[in-house]
Amino acid sequence: MHVVRASSCLLAAVCGMWTPVVAAPPVTATASLLASDGTANDAAGTSVDLSGDLLVFGARGRDDGALNRGAAYLHRRTAGGWVQAQKILPETAYANEEFGHAVSVGGGTLVIGAPRSSRDASGAGSVWVYRSNGVSFDFSERITSPEPEVGGAFGAAVDADRSQGVDRLVIGARRESARGVRCGRAHIYQRNPQGAWIREATLVPQQPATDNDDFGQAVLIEGDWAFVGAPSDDGVAVSAGAVYAYRRIAGLWTFVQKLVSPTAE
Protein backbone atom coordinates (compact mmCIF):
# COMPACT_ATOMS: atom_id res chain seq x y z
CA MET A 1 0.00 0.00 0.00
CA HIS A 2 1.36 3.43 -1.00
CA VAL A 3 0.43 6.34 1.29
CA VAL A 4 0.87 10.09 0.78
CA ARG A 5 -0.25 13.05 2.86
CA ALA A 6 -2.51 15.45 0.99
CA SER A 7 -3.48 18.59 2.87
CA SER A 8 -5.65 17.55 5.82
CA CYS A 9 -6.03 13.86 5.05
CA LEU A 10 -4.04 10.79 4.13
CA LEU A 11 -4.56 9.02 0.81
CA ALA A 12 -3.79 5.34 0.27
CA ALA A 13 -3.37 3.54 -3.02
CA VAL A 14 -5.11 0.20 -2.86
CA CYS A 15 -5.04 -1.94 -5.99
CA GLY A 16 -3.93 1.14 -7.93
CA MET A 17 -6.83 3.36 -6.84
CA TRP A 18 -6.63 6.25 -4.36
CA THR A 19 -8.99 6.71 -1.42
CA PRO A 20 -9.00 8.82 1.81
CA VAL A 21 -8.12 6.68 4.82
CA VAL A 22 -7.79 8.94 7.87
CA ALA A 23 -7.60 12.58 8.89
CA ALA A 24 -4.02 13.75 9.35
CA PRO A 25 -3.03 14.44 12.97
CA PRO A 26 -2.80 18.09 14.07
CA VAL A 27 0.58 19.80 14.36
CA THR A 28 1.85 22.36 16.87
CA ALA A 29 3.92 25.45 16.02
CA THR A 30 7.40 25.43 17.59
CA ALA A 31 9.04 28.44 15.92
CA SER A 32 8.30 31.52 13.82
CA LEU A 33 10.68 31.95 10.87
CA LEU A 34 11.32 35.36 9.36
CA ALA A 35 13.44 36.73 6.53
CA SER A 36 16.52 38.49 7.89
CA ASP A 37 15.75 41.56 5.75
CA GLY A 38 11.96 41.33 5.64
CA THR A 39 9.97 44.47 4.82
CA ALA A 40 6.36 45.40 4.18
CA ASN A 41 4.58 43.57 1.34
CA ASP A 42 7.32 40.95 0.84
CA ALA A 43 4.67 38.23 1.22
CA ALA A 44 7.17 35.91 2.92
CA GLY A 45 5.63 32.49 3.37
CA THR A 46 3.77 32.58 0.05
CA SER A 47 5.10 29.04 -0.40
CA VAL A 48 6.99 26.64 1.87
CA ASP A 49 8.65 23.24 1.66
CA LEU A 50 10.68 21.06 3.99
CA SER A 51 13.27 18.34 3.46
CA GLY A 52 14.98 16.93 6.53
CA ASP A 53 16.57 19.85 8.40
CA LEU A 54 16.24 22.26 5.47
CA LEU A 55 13.26 24.56 4.98
CA VAL A 56 12.61 26.99 2.13
CA PHE A 57 9.98 29.68 1.83
CA GLY A 58 9.18 32.12 -0.93
CA ALA A 59 8.64 35.88 -0.66
CA ARG A 60 7.05 36.67 -4.01
CA GLY A 61 6.61 40.39 -3.26
CA ARG A 62 10.26 41.12 -2.39
CA ASP A 63 11.49 44.25 -4.19
CA ASP A 64 15.26 43.62 -4.43
CA GLY A 65 16.31 45.69 -7.46
CA ALA A 66 12.85 45.61 -9.04
CA LEU A 67 9.22 45.75 -7.91
CA ASN A 68 7.88 42.32 -6.96
CA ARG A 69 11.06 40.65 -8.16
CA GLY A 70 10.66 38.02 -5.45
CA ALA A 71 13.08 35.99 -3.34
CA ALA A 72 13.44 32.69 -1.52
CA TYR A 73 14.95 32.03 1.90
CA LEU A 74 16.59 28.82 3.12
CA HIS A 75 16.68 27.96 6.83
CA ARG A 76 18.52 25.06 8.48
CA ARG A 77 17.53 23.43 11.72
CA THR A 78 20.35 23.40 14.24
CA ALA A 79 20.65 22.45 17.91
CA GLY A 80 19.82 26.05 18.71
CA GLY A 81 16.83 26.28 16.40
CA TRP A 82 16.18 27.40 12.83
CA VAL A 83 18.87 29.63 11.26
CA GLN A 84 18.74 31.40 7.91
CA ALA A 85 21.36 29.80 5.68
CA GLN A 86 20.86 31.43 2.28
CA LYS A 87 18.83 34.00 0.40
CA ILE A 88 18.23 33.34 -3.29
CA LEU A 89 17.34 35.84 -6.00
CA PRO A 90 16.95 35.38 -9.75
CA GLU A 91 20.20 36.25 -11.49
CA THR A 92 18.78 39.38 -13.15
CA ALA A 93 16.28 41.83 -11.68
CA TYR A 94 12.98 41.90 -13.56
CA ALA A 95 9.82 43.48 -12.17
CA ASN A 96 6.71 41.48 -11.27
CA GLU A 97 8.18 38.01 -11.78
CA GLU A 98 7.05 36.91 -8.30
CA PHE A 99 10.03 34.59 -7.91
CA GLY A 100 9.20 32.41 -4.92
CA HIS A 101 5.51 32.01 -5.69
CA ALA A 102 6.21 28.26 -5.58
CA VAL A 103 9.12 26.37 -3.99
CA SER A 104 10.27 22.78 -3.54
CA VAL A 105 13.39 21.26 -2.01
CA GLY A 106 14.57 17.67 -1.79
CA GLY A 107 17.24 15.25 -2.96
CA GLY A 108 19.81 18.03 -3.28
CA THR A 109 17.57 20.02 -5.65
CA LEU A 110 15.89 23.36 -5.02
CA VAL A 111 13.17 24.53 -7.41
CA ILE A 112 11.63 28.01 -7.44
CA GLY A 113 8.71 29.08 -9.60
CA ALA A 114 8.03 32.57 -10.96
CA PRO A 115 4.70 32.26 -12.81
CA ARG A 116 4.52 35.92 -13.81
CA SER A 117 7.95 35.99 -15.43
CA SER A 118 7.79 37.64 -18.86
CA ARG A 119 11.24 36.75 -20.19
CA ASP A 120 9.79 34.55 -22.94
CA ALA A 121 6.24 35.91 -23.26
CA SER A 122 4.19 38.22 -21.08
CA GLY A 123 3.29 36.28 -17.94
CA ALA A 124 4.42 32.98 -19.47
CA GLY A 125 6.39 32.08 -16.34
CA SER A 126 9.76 30.49 -15.56
CA VAL A 127 11.26 28.02 -13.09
CA TRP A 128 14.75 28.22 -11.59
CA VAL A 129 16.60 25.06 -10.49
CA TYR A 130 19.50 24.98 -8.03
CA ARG A 131 21.78 22.12 -6.93
CA SER A 132 23.33 21.61 -3.52
CA ASN A 133 27.13 21.77 -3.23
CA GLY A 134 26.94 20.38 0.29
CA VAL A 135 26.92 23.78 1.93
CA SER A 136 24.64 25.97 -0.17
CA PHE A 137 22.69 25.86 -3.42
CA ASP A 138 24.16 26.93 -6.78
CA PHE A 139 22.16 28.00 -9.82
CA SER A 140 21.81 25.17 -12.33
CA GLU A 141 19.22 26.01 -14.95
CA ARG A 142 16.20 28.14 -15.83
CA ILE A 143 13.37 26.09 -17.29
CA THR A 144 10.64 27.55 -19.48
CA SER A 145 7.50 26.08 -20.95
CA PRO A 146 7.98 24.05 -24.14
CA GLU A 147 5.29 26.33 -25.60
CA PRO A 148 5.46 29.68 -23.76
CA GLU A 149 2.01 31.20 -23.69
CA VAL A 150 0.99 34.74 -22.73
CA GLY A 151 -0.35 34.50 -19.20
CA GLY A 152 0.38 30.75 -19.04
CA ALA A 153 1.70 30.90 -15.45
CA PHE A 154 4.33 28.20 -15.92
CA GLY A 155 5.79 27.72 -12.45
CA ALA A 156 2.55 28.33 -10.53
CA ALA A 157 3.37 25.11 -8.66
CA VAL A 158 6.52 22.97 -8.46
CA ASP A 159 7.61 19.75 -6.79
CA ALA A 160 10.92 17.86 -6.90
CA ASP A 161 11.58 14.21 -6.10
CA ARG A 162 14.53 11.84 -6.02
CA SER A 163 13.61 8.16 -6.13
CA GLN A 164 15.84 5.19 -6.93
CA GLY A 165 18.63 7.53 -8.00
CA VAL A 166 16.46 9.44 -10.49
CA ASP A 167 15.70 13.17 -10.15
CA ARG A 168 12.35 14.39 -11.43
CA LEU A 169 10.28 17.50 -11.05
CA VAL A 170 6.76 18.49 -11.99
CA ILE A 171 5.79 22.04 -12.91
CA GLY A 172 2.26 23.39 -13.02
CA ALA A 173 1.18 25.92 -15.65
CA ARG A 174 -2.38 26.57 -14.55
CA ARG A 175 -3.28 29.02 -17.32
CA GLU A 176 -1.85 27.27 -20.36
CA SER A 177 -4.42 26.06 -22.88
CA ALA A 178 -4.81 22.37 -23.60
CA ARG A 179 -8.24 20.71 -23.80
CA GLY A 180 -9.93 23.94 -22.85
CA VAL A 181 -9.05 27.63 -22.98
CA ARG A 182 -6.74 28.36 -20.03
CA CYS A 183 -7.61 24.98 -18.52
CA GLY A 184 -3.97 24.38 -17.53
CA ARG A 185 -1.19 21.84 -18.03
CA ALA A 186 1.61 20.24 -16.01
CA HIS A 187 5.08 19.22 -17.23
CA ILE A 188 7.34 16.50 -15.86
CA TYR A 189 11.13 16.76 -16.25
CA GLN A 190 13.93 14.29 -15.55
CA ARG A 191 17.56 15.22 -14.93
CA ASN A 192 19.93 13.51 -17.34
CA PRO A 193 23.47 12.29 -16.44
CA GLN A 194 24.92 15.60 -17.68
CA GLY A 195 22.74 17.52 -15.22
CA ALA A 196 20.29 19.02 -17.73
CA TRP A 197 16.54 18.80 -17.18
CA ILE A 198 14.74 17.07 -20.06
CA ARG A 199 10.97 17.17 -20.43
CA GLU A 200 9.59 13.68 -19.98
CA ALA A 201 5.85 14.32 -20.30
CA THR A 202 3.15 16.96 -20.48
CA LEU A 203 0.02 16.18 -18.49
CA VAL A 204 -3.39 17.55 -19.45
CA PRO A 205 -6.81 17.05 -17.86
CA GLN A 206 -8.88 14.18 -19.17
CA GLN A 207 -11.86 14.95 -21.34
CA PRO A 208 -14.30 16.46 -20.88
CA ALA A 209 -12.18 19.39 -19.74
CA THR A 210 -13.60 22.89 -19.39
CA ASP A 211 -12.15 26.36 -19.70
CA ASN A 212 -10.32 27.89 -16.73
CA ASP A 213 -9.98 24.69 -14.66
CA ASP A 214 -6.66 25.87 -13.14
CA PHE A 215 -5.17 22.42 -13.76
CA GLY A 216 -1.63 22.78 -12.40
CA GLN A 217 -2.48 25.06 -9.49
CA ALA A 218 -0.98 22.39 -7.21
CA VAL A 219 1.37 19.50 -8.08
CA LEU A 220 3.04 16.58 -6.33
CA ILE A 221 5.45 13.90 -7.56
CA GLU A 222 6.67 10.89 -5.60
CA GLY A 223 8.36 7.97 -7.30
CA ASP A 224 6.17 6.77 -10.15
CA TRP A 225 3.15 8.82 -9.03
CA ALA A 226 2.23 12.38 -9.96
CA PHE A 227 -0.80 14.39 -8.85
CA VAL A 228 -2.16 17.62 -10.34
CA GLY A 229 -4.76 19.82 -8.67
CA ALA A 230 -7.47 21.60 -10.65
CA PRO A 231 -9.40 23.67 -8.07
CA SER A 232 -11.75 25.24 -10.63
CA ASP A 233 -12.72 21.92 -12.26
CA ASP A 234 -16.49 21.84 -12.95
CA GLY A 235 -16.89 18.06 -13.27
CA VAL A 236 -18.93 17.60 -10.07
CA ALA A 237 -20.19 21.15 -9.56
CA VAL A 238 -19.11 24.64 -10.60
CA SER A 239 -15.51 25.06 -9.39
CA ALA A 240 -15.87 22.08 -7.04
CA GLY A 241 -12.35 21.08 -8.05
CA ALA A 242 -10.54 17.81 -8.62
CA VAL A 243 -7.15 16.13 -8.36
CA TYR A 244 -5.80 14.03 -11.25
CA ALA A 245 -3.58 11.03 -10.48
CA TYR A 246 -1.00 9.76 -12.98
CA ARG A 247 1.36 6.80 -12.80
CA ARG A 248 4.52 6.04 -14.74
CA ILE A 249 3.88 2.66 -16.37
CA ALA A 250 6.40 1.09 -18.75
CA GLY A 251 8.15 4.46 -19.05
CA LEU A 252 4.99 6.43 -19.88
CA TRP A 253 3.03 8.76 -17.59
CA THR A 254 -0.53 7.45 -17.71
CA PHE A 255 -3.77 8.88 -16.31
CA VAL A 256 -5.10 6.63 -13.55
CA GLN A 257 -7.87 8.36 -11.64
CA LYS A 258 -9.72 11.63 -11.08
CA LEU A 259 -10.22 12.34 -7.39
CA VAL A 260 -13.11 14.53 -6.24
CA SER A 261 -14.54 15.40 -2.86
CA PRO A 262 -17.24 12.92 -1.80
CA THR A 263 -19.22 15.88 -0.45
CA ALA A 264 -18.65 18.34 -3.31
CA GLU A 265 -21.54 20.72 -3.94
Side-chain angles (χ1 to χ4, degrees), residues 37-59:
D37 57 354
T39 59
N41 301 314
D42 279 357
T46 295
S47 55
V48 295
D49 196 26
L50 174 72
S51 177
D53 290 330
L54 182 66
L55 181 141
V56 59
F57 64 80

Side-chain angles (χ1 to χ4, degrees), residues 17-36:
M17 301 301 286
W18 289 89
T19 183
V21 291
V22 66
V27 295
T28 302
T30 59
S32 178
L33 306 184
L34 303 173
S36 59

Side-chain angles (χ1 to χ4, degrees), residues 102-126:
V103 297
S104 179
V105 63
T109 299
L110 171 65
V111 187
I112 303 175
R116 293 188 62 192
S117 174
S118 299
R119 301 187 188 206
D120 301 281
S122 179
S126 296

Side-chain angles (χ1 to χ4, degrees), residues 149-153 173-177 182-185 212 214-215:
E149 186 175 332
V150 172
R174 68 180 186 87
R175 301 295 287 170
E176 289 187 348
S177 297
R182 301 292 192 194
C183 70
R185 300 194 296 178
N212 303 306
D214 285 327
F215 180 91

Side-chain angles (χ1 to χ4, degrees), residues 46-261:
T46 295
S47 55
V48 295
D49 196 26
L50 174 72
S51 177
D53 290 330
L54 182 66
L55 181 141
V56 59
F57 64 80
R60 63 182 174 85
R62 182 72 186 169
D63 291 339
D64 275 290
L67 182 68
N68 293 328
R69 178 187 185 184
Y73 295 84
L74 287 157
H75 284 68
R76 291 189 185 276
R77 182 166 48 194
T78 68
W82 290 92
V83 178
Q84 183 173 312
Q86 189 175 359
K87 175 184 175 181
I88 295 181
L89 298 168
E91 73 286 358
T92 308
Y94 282 83
N96 300 315
E97 289 199 306
E98 295 192 356
F99 179 89
H101 178 96
V103 297
S104 179
V105 63
T109 299
L110 171 65
V111 187
I112 303 175
R116 293 188 62 192
S117 174
S118 299
R119 301 187 188 206
D120 301 281
S122 179
S126 296
V127 168
W128 278 256
V129 183
Y130 300 80
R131 291 291 294 171
S132 173
N133 60 24
V135 177
S136 60
F137 283 82
D138 298 323
F139 172 73
S140 173
E141 185 175 351
R142 182 174 72 92
I143 301 176
T144 60
S145 173
E147 297 174 337
E149 186 175 332
V150 172
F154 181 89
V158 296
D159 193 36
D161 177 64
R162 181 174 177 82
S163 297
Q164 299 179 345
V166 177
D167 292 307
R168 287 191 173 89
L169 65 89
V170 58
I171 300 171
R174 68 180 186 87
R175 301 295 287 170
E176 289 187 348
S177 297
R179 289 181 169 161
V181 177
R182 301 292 192 194
C183 70
R185 300 194 296 178
H187 307 274
I188 295 179
Y189 292 79
Q190 178 179 335
R191 193 166 72 97
N192 68 14
Q194 290 72 44
W197 291 91
I198 307 300
R199 184 167 58 96
E200 190 173 56
T202 292
L203 309 180
V204 298
Q206 297 303 110
Q207 293 178 325
T210 56
D211 296 345
N212 303 306
D213 279 352
D214 285 327
F215 180 91
Q217 174 71 43
V219 295
L220 172 69
I221 188 167
E222 185 174 305
D224 289 332
W225 286 96
F227 300 86
V228 183
S232 300
D233 185 280
D234 298 329
V236 175
V238 175
S239 293
V243 174
Y244 291 79
Y246 298 82
R247 190 173 189 179
R248 189 171 178 270
I249 302 172
L252 299 176
W253 287 95
T254 305
F255 171 73
V256 174
Q257 186 179 0
K258 182 178 179 179
L259 308 172
V260 297
S261 170

